[in-house]
Amino acid sequence: MYRWRARRCDVDRDGVRRVMESRILDALKDRTLELGPTPDTSDTYRNFKLTRDADGVAWLLFDRANASANTLSEEVLTEFDMVLTALEAQRPTGIVIRSAKPSGFIAGADINEFRGSDPVAIEAQIARAHAVVDRFEALKIPTVAVIHGFCLGGGLEIALACQMRIAIDGARFGFPEVMLGLHPGLGGTARFTHLVSPLQAMPMMLTGKTIDARKAKAIGLVDAVTEERHVRNAVKDAVFGRLKRAKPSPLIPLLNFSPVRGILASRMVAEASKQAPREHYPAPYALIDLWEKHGGDRPAMLKAEQRSFARLMVTTTAQNLIRVFFLREAMKKLAGAGDGGIKHVHVIGAGAMGGDIAAWCAHQGLRVTLADMKAEPLAGAIKRAADLYAKIVRKRTDQRDTLDRLIPDLDGEGVRNADLIIEAVPEKLDLKQKVYAGLEPRMKPDAILATNTSSIPLQDLRTSLTRPERLLGLHFFNPVSRLQLVEVVSHDGVDQEMLKRATAFVGAIDRLPLPVKSSPGFLVNRALTPYMLEAMMLLDEKVEKETIDAAAEQFGMPMGPIELADQVGLDICMAVGDMLRSKFGDLLPPTPAWLREKVNRGELGKKTGKGFYVWKDGKAEKSSAAAATARPSQEMIDRLVLPISNVCVACLREGIVDDADVVDGAMIFGTGYAPFRGGPLHYARSRGPDNVAATLRTLAAKYGDRFAPDEGWETFT
């Protein structure tokens, strides 16, 4: 239901992965990745294989043991140092480093080692890693990185230490460290800004965005882009001086000149502050400061990078963002393996949610039929899908193929062959049950019936079904293409095998499943509703809307609750609030009468152009003066955010969700809850459960029982 902006790397990772795995596996089968006829030390190393071809070129194949992707650990770098010793002794005519993993070159550093608490020890560890990379860079032998798939973070820093870089078409490059509250730490800050214009290098590091091979060639990051079948010839040209190398821009020394750096750095700080406040996200500012102070002196910047990285590593922000990384990985595992046998999805309802769910499923390679009673919603859904594919699918032929998989189905005939039917009609019990009555007799015996309801308990929805055991919930969040969470809702009579298949389906379409038991509002909407309604109470108390939004943003939310309510639609907020209040009574703030009047006047928010804010070109018009003078109190912040933690504890106690970490992950990936806080339960744990409960009791005494601490706080640790 709720729409909330969330920061994420805007790249179809799984789409690229599938293409690259297919290409590389084919190459392995036909031996085009064979490294040479005469192995030198094929069994000497645990993570590397070293061979030499007929031209005397050493091919170093990185194949990290017992891992699906290559990452850099202390063990790997120590062994890499041993390989360098061997190469220095053998003096090959050239050295080629590439990956044996179909997924890509190197995915970055091993995040499992990002757990230190002593900056001195971390700096010493980073210094040892720097020494290995510096040694590699200093080799007096032509070095070439051959890159396919993802080349990220530490992997890109290894590639930068090579004299030449050859990319396989489809490769992607980036520095995602900022997403972990860090900046590059293996020399990338210095090497990148001296190879590529700082005007292009710094934004890549500051945002974590990736670029494709063609863009990497255009900015001078790689020297050539080729197909797998031409790699050997490209390598020969590189080693023997025939490759036309990328030339660094003559403006780079000027842009790295001290006075110019100062001007550019101040502009970068201004841009960064619009997206990530310094007090919440120190990494971008540390990177800008590093470049501003040392950008003109490469050795000094390499040294200063180590110290800056070590200091960032021990910040609360970095440790919480690293925790979020592991939460995502844990939630991916909940999906299990496979796709649940789901090949054809039939979506009923071509509105904002149904249409976007259908578009996303088609993007993930599934055959999708989209049904609606009228042609106009279907046409609108197809147009939105085309606009989405134009943004996230690179090739026009692939855009066309994806659209071909999304089939408008005015007569609803797709239900007969669908493996999964997703109902996404408006939130009305009688309407949904009417839809079920018409489609259930036409479904395949093993087909799954899923509802995208955001709040109606499945126990109510199932009463009209002949086979209620195959009804379950798949609750997506808006916008579907950006928010990763899907609540997989069960009830006491659900078919467990179908539930397992549905959960696997969520993982197969690159989404994170949250297993929840059916209950009003499930987890996310139940937790967010008091946040939204408390903002209405503050408006009732004549607090400026800009001040209320500023309170949430000061805490770290991506947008305030008033702007969020406009984004969601005031009619939807009111309907969900009424439904949940009918279930939970005084545990929720009442819906103000003036909100009903606003809805009755048609002032529904963004979709009608006016709600609490006036909306133009998709943006809320805010009073800059009111925003500048907003001074929210800590009590106001607590009134907004602590009820979220309170509901999460209640859902944990009631068994709606079984795991506290999964609750935190759900709120981050489903709503954008301040990721640097680590989630609402982790925030409560960091602040102290006793402190949170005591603060709630104080608020309850002052404002009413809606703030009463849940009894789950007594056992929460």
Side-chain angles (χ1 to χ4, degrees):
M1 181 195 84
Y2 286 115
R3 176 188 177 96
W4 204 328
R5 289 194 296 260
R7 299 183 182 94
R8 67 167 291 177
C9 193
D10 191 16
V11 55
D12 176 18
R13 294 179 180 271
D14 276 13
V16 172
R17 174 181 57 77
R18 283 194 295 270
V19 172
M20 292 309 305
E21 284 185 357
S22 174
R23 291 177 181 173
I24 301 306
L25 286 173
D26 288 346
L28 284 168
K29 289 175 183 176
D30 66 20
R31 307 297 286 169
T32 56
L33 282 185
E34 184 177 345
L35 297 187
T38 53
D40 290 342
T41 52
S42 58
D43 298 322
T44 302
Y45 307 109
R46 173 176 165 80
N47 303 292
F48 296 92
K49 293 178 182 177
L50 184 60
T51 62
R52 187 183 298 232
D53 65 20
D55 295 308
V57 176
W59 291 72
L60 181 61
L61 190 69
F62 184 16
D63 189 10
R64 185 167 181 184
N66 304 317
S68 60
N70 285 330
T71 54
L72 300 173
S73 65
E74 192 164 17
E75 176 204 340
V76 165
L77 287 170
T78 299
E79 189 172 78
F80 186 42
D81 200 33
M82 294 170 57
V83 174
L84 295 180
T85 299
L87 289 169
E88 287 172 337
Q90 295 166 10
R91 303 296 299 176
T93 56
I95 300 169
V96 180
I97 181 169
R98 73 170 311 182
S99 164
K101 306 293 188 186
S103 58
F105 183 65
I106 304 174
D110 186 342
I111 310 299
N112 289 293
E113 296 189 354
F114 283 22
R115 295 292 193 182
S117 58
D118 179 0
V120 175
I122 294 170
E123 187 174 349
Q125 183 180 4
I126 293 296
R128 292 193 295 272
H130 263 246
V132 177
V133 179
D134 292 347
R135 183 185 183 189
F136 179 48
E137 183 183 43
L139 289 174
K140 303 301 183 183
I141 305 166
T143 53
V144 185
V146 176
I147 300 157
H148 71 268
F150 285 102
C151 178
L152 303 174
L156 182 48
E157 291 176 284
I158 294 293
L160 285 169
C162 292
Q163 296 169 22
M164 292 162 282
R165 286 156 293 281
I166 297 171
I168 309 299
D169 196 15
R172 296 206 62 100
F173 302 82
F175 285 107
E177 287 89 345
V178 70
M179 307 295 185
L180 299 177
L182 303 166
H183 58 55
L186 274 180
T189 62
R191 291 188 177 96
F192 198 30
T193 51
H194 283 76
L195 177 69
V196 171
S197 166
L199 293 178
Q200 294 165 315
M202 288 295 288
M204 274 187 66
M205 292 187 285
L206 288 168
T207 63
K209 290 183 178 179
T210 63
I211 58 173
D212 62 21
R214 301 290 170 174
K215 177 67 173 178
K217 175 70 165 61
I219 68 173
L221 174 56
V222 302
D223 300 288
V225 180
T226 189
E227 299 292 337
E228 180 64 46
R229 63 184 181 276
H230 299 309
V231 164
R232 285 191 171 278
N233 289 334
V235 165
K236 284 186 179 182
D237 287 346
V239 170
F240 296 109
R242 297 189 295 267
L243 178 68
K244 186 178 180 181
R245 298 180 58 185
K247 292 183 179 180
S249 168
L251 292 177
I252 291 177
L254 175 63
L255 294 171
N256 279 318
F257 184 56
S258 180
V260 178
R261 291 200 314 273
I263 296 170
L264 294 177
S266 64
R267 293 178 181 175
M268 291 176 188
V269 167
E271 286 300 311
S273 64
K274 295 177 184 177
Q275 302 295 327
R278 185 189 294 264
E279 63 270 24
H280 296 160
Y281 296 97
Y285 303 93
L287 173 59
I288 295 168
D289 185 61
L290 180 66
W291 178 68
E292 183 180 9
K293 288 181 178 177
H294 304 289
D297 186 340
R298 191 171 181 268
M301 192 168 178
L302 285 168
K303 182 66 177 176
E305 178 195 87
Q306 301 171 32
R307 188 177 310 108
S308 178
F309 184 90
R311 289 174 177 172
L312 287 172
M313 178 73 82
V314 300
T315 61
T316 300
T317 292
Q319 290 302 309
N320 280 342
L321 291 177
I322 291 166
R323 178 176 185 273
V324 170
F325 172 87
F326 285 111
L327 289 179
R328 179 184 283 108
E329 295 304 301
M331 293 185 74
K332 284 181 181 178
K333 292 178 181 177
L334 293 175
D339 58 11
I342 309 298
K343 308 297 182 184
H344 177 184
V345 177
H346 182 74
V347 180
I348 302 170
M353 285 303 298
D356 291 358
I357 292 168
W360 184 256
C361 291
H363 172 54
Q364 293 299 315
L366 297 171
R367 184 173 189 268
V368 182
T369 45
L370 176 60
D372 202 284
M373 295 179 64
K374 297 180 180 179
E376 290 81 3
L378 286 171
I382 298 299
K383 183 183 184 305
R384 291 197 309 276
D387 292 342
L388 173 67
Y389 301 153
K391 295 176 182 176
I392 65 176
V393 180
R394 186 167 64 93
K395 294 183 179 179
R396 292 201 174 190
T397 53
D398 293 339
Q399 294 174 24
R400 179 203 63 202
D401 292 345
T402 306
L403 271 173
D404 285 347
R405 291 193 293 270
L406 179 57
I407 305 166
D409 185 10
L410 194 59
D411 296 325
E413 289 300 312
V415 70
R416 299 185 185 277
N417 298 310
D419 305 302
L420 169 66
I421 295 95
I422 300 177
E423 167 268 302
V425 302
E427 289 287 277
K428 296 179 180 179
L429 177 62
D430 56 346
L431 175 60
K432 290 179 183 290
Q433 290 183 330
K434 182 179 179 181
V435 169
Y436 299 164
L439 66 86
E440 189 178 20
R442 298 186 293 158
M443 291 171 57
K444 294 194 304 184
D446 62 344
I448 301 169
L449 173 59
T451 175
N452 185 55
T453 181
S454 60
S455 56
I456 302 175
L458 270 62
Q459 291 88 337
D460 297 339
L461 289 170
R462 70 185 181 185
T463 55
S464 64
L465 288 168
T466 303
R467 289 185 55 194
E469 70 275 7
R470 60 177 172 176
L471 174 70
L472 50 85
L474 289 178
H475 179 213
F476 291 77
F477 292 84
N478 193 10
V480 174
S481 63
R482 293 178 61 192
L483 291 180
Q484 299 167 276
L485 188 74
V486 176
E487 289 180 314
V488 182
V489 189
S490 64
H491 55 90
D492 55 8
V494 72
D495 182 302
Q496 291 299 317
E497 183 59 30
M498 288 190 171
L499 189 67
K500 182 179 178 180
R501 289 173 57 204
T503 306
F505 158 78
V506 172
I509 62 168
D510 192 27
R511 286 294 170 262
L512 302 174
L514 170 68
V516 295
K517 293 177 183 175
S518 182
S519 174
F522 314 132
L523 170 69
V524 174
N525 283 347
R526 180 174 166 187
L528 273 185
T529 297
Y531 169 76
M532 307 278 278
L533 290 179
E534 193 61 33
M536 306 300 143
M537 296 295 289
L538 287 164
L539 283 175
D540 226 11
E541 297 168 16
K542 309 304 179 186
V543 179
E544 294 287 340
K545 57 182 179 291
E546 290 86 358
T547 302
I548 300 169
D549 280 350
E553 290 165 6
Q554 184 174 310
F555 178 77
M557 298 299 195
M559 73 172 67
I562 304 301
E563 183 179 355
L564 176 60
D566 268 2
Q567 290 263 18
V568 170
L570 302 187
D571 53 337
I572 296 174
C573 292
M574 189 178 73
V576 173
D578 287 347
M579 189 279 294
L580 290 178
R581 201 164 195 279
S582 71
K583 302 289 184 179
F584 298 109
D586 291 340
L587 294 179
L588 284 173
T591 304
W594 53 261
L595 178 59
R596 298 187 188 280
E597 294 170 4
K598 203 171 185 64
V599 170
N600 291 335
R601 290 196 303 269
E603 297 175 8
L604 307 183
K606 182 179 179 180
K607 58 188 174 185
T608 59
K610 183 180 180 182
F612 292 112
Y613 293 104
V614 173
W615 290 78
K616 289 187 178 179
D617 299 324
K619 294 184 178 181
E621 291 189 342
K622 298 184 178 182
S623 167
S624 55
T629 57
R631 296 290 183 271
S633 65
Q634 182 60 48
E635 182 187 82
M636 188 183 301
I637 295 172
D638 285 343
R639 285 178 64 179
L640 292 172
V641 301
L642 289 188
I644 298 176
S645 298
N646 201 33
V647 169
C648 288
V649 163
C651 287
L652 196 63
R653 174 182 57 78
E654 295 169 13
I656 306 302
V657 183
D658 295 330
D659 185 274
D661 286 344
V662 171
V663 170
D664 280 337
M667 296 305 296
I668 292 168
F669 303 126
T671 74
Y673 183 97
F676 70 94
R677 302 279 187 187
L681 293 181
H682 186 73
Y683 169 68
R685 193 178 291 115
S686 302
R687 180 166 168 171
D690 291 342
N691 176 279
V692 171
T695 304
L696 286 168
R697 281 191 290 272
T698 299
L699 292 172
K702 189 172 182 180
Y703 296 105
D705 288 344
R706 65 183 184 274
F707 289 105
D710 186 81
E711 60 189 75
W713 290 110
E714 297 176 6
T715 55
F716 179 77
T717 56

